[in-house]
Amino acid sequence: MNCKLIKHQVLFTLRQKNAVFTFYFLMAIVLLNFTSNVFAFQGRDIIEMYQPLKMLSISFNRIYYNADLTLFLIQLYPVLVVCPAGFILLSEKNRKEDILLIARVGTINYYKCKLISSFLVTTIVFTIPFFLELLLSCVSFPMAAIGDFSEMSQYDPFYMEMVRRYLFSSLYTFNPYLYAIIGIVIFGIFSGILGMFSVALSAVLNIRYKIILFLPVFIILNISLYFSDSIINLPFSVRWFDYILLYNDIAKNNCYFMGLILALIIISISCVLFKSKGDQL
């Protein structure tokens, strides 16, 4: 595997307008949320203050206070996640640059590097803004605050049950700040896998227009919402955002989430291997 080529592809893709636009768009969401929190909660006594981590824009706990920004992010996410790196392979195919690069580095190396670089670029774009928000919140609000937007006491049995439903709830109990850091990383990795998935599909499908590449991820994510509504007696949620938003207190199945991630990775790798072998025949 050519690490130098991957580094070049990552740096090149991060400078492209799609990645830059997505990064600044997420930064705008983060800063809007942070600014609204500052104006809403300034001057509050620490006893009445909410935990700074639960004010983050990817915190599901915020919906108990105001769900507008969370819903806005959930609705745009299936489109935004494709933008940073989902089109890198298709753009080179349309410009016939892929033929030159394949001749220089080899078919398998070319597609592997595209897959890895698209994962890294999307992960970076969907991680840094939320780490910045985490830092700003910790600096601006009292870290000793323990309030929850549900307005429940920490000793309330219903609150304890809510916490047990968090993804990796034992990590939250051990250290809430470490939980937030790991949660943001998981959010970024999941985004990176979806970006990689889009690139892998563009390798095997004869796609002429970039807009069509939005459909696979959009369908996969939104079909989980359809199944969630149609399967009433399911004991756990299948909605994608219940697994990647922090402090989500809906009942979950970790095996389902890991299976979804594994399926996306396997499909992505299979597409690249199939295309690589096909080009060599």
Side-chain angles (χ1 to χ4, degrees), residues 10-161:
V10 169
L11 294 176
F12 175 79
T13 308
L14 284 173
R15 292 193 296 266
Q16 300 306 299
K17 60 182 180 180
N18 288 338
V20 173
F21 167 78
T22 308
F23 178 81
Y24 282 114
F25 188 85
L26 292 174
M27 283 295 299
I29 292 177
V30 162
L31 293 176
L32 176 62
N33 181 62
F34 172 73
T35 304
S36 64
N37 287 337
V38 170
F39 284 108
F41 304 119
Q42 62 180 343
R44 282 204 180 192
D45 189 272
I46 190 172
I47 299 176
E48 303 174 343
M49 191 62 190
Y50 301 104
Q51 189 180 61
L53 303 177
K54 294 187 176 181
M55 300 179 185
L56 301 178
S57 52
I58 58 171
S59 167
F60 186 80
N61 191 249
R62 271 189 59 85
I63 69 169
Y64 293 108
Y65 170 71
N66 189 329
D68 292 346
L69 193 62
T70 304
L71 291 174
F72 180 67
L73 182 59
I74 288 173
Q75 290 171 349
L76 286 183
Y77 180 83
V79 175
L80 287 175
V81 76
V82 180
C83 291
F87 308 120
I88 56 175
L89 185 57
L90 183 60
S91 297
E92 290 185 358
K93 287 170 67 175
N94 290 338
R95 296 193 302 264
K96 307 298 181 183
E97 292 178 3
D98 59 323
I99 299 174
L100 176 61
L101 292 171
I102 288 173
R104 294 184 61 183
V105 301
T107 305
I108 294 180
N109 278 336
Y110 173 75
Y111 287 111
K112 281 183 179 179
C113 289
K114 288 296 177 188
L115 212 60
I116 295 172
S117 60
S118 62
F119 168 78
L120 293 175
V121 168
T122 309
T123 300
I124 291 170
V125 170
F126 277 83
T127 300
I128 293 179
F130 301 105
F131 271 131
L132 179 60
E133 184 183 22
L134 174 64
L135 179 62
L136 289 173
S137 296
C138 290
V139 170
S140 304
F141 301 106
M143 296 178 66
I146 58 173
D148 187 274
F149 283 111
S150 65
E151 302 295 350
M152 293 184 183
S153 167
Q154 285 191 313
Y155 304 102
D156 191 313
F158 291 102
Y159 175 79
M160 295 179 182
E161 179 60 27

Side-chain angles (χ1 to χ4, degrees), residues 235-246:
F236 59 89
S237 174
V238 296
R239 299 182 304 185
W240 61 270
F241 57 81
D242 285 333
Y243 292 86
I244 65 170
L245 293 181
L246 306 181

Side-chain angles (χ1 to χ4, degrees), residues 224-238:
S224 69
L225 308 184
Y226 170 78
F227 280 121
S228 179
D229 293 334
S230 60
I231 306 176
I232 301 174
N233 296 323
L234 202 64
F236 59 89
S237 174
V238 296

Side-chain angles (χ1 to χ4, degrees), residues 1 108 111-112 115-116 118-119 193 196-201 203-204 261-277:
M1 190 175 298
I108 294 180
Y111 287 111
K112 281 183 179 179
L115 212 60
I116 295 172
S118 62
F119 168 78
I193 291 172
M196 178 179 70
F197 176 74
S198 299
V199 171
L201 290 182
V204 295
I261 290 177
L262 188 60
L264 291 171
I265 294 174
I266 291 174
I267 292 173
S268 300
I269 295 175
S270 299
C271 288
V272 166
L273 292 177
F274 174 79
K275 182 62 177 178
S276 300
K277 291 180 181 180

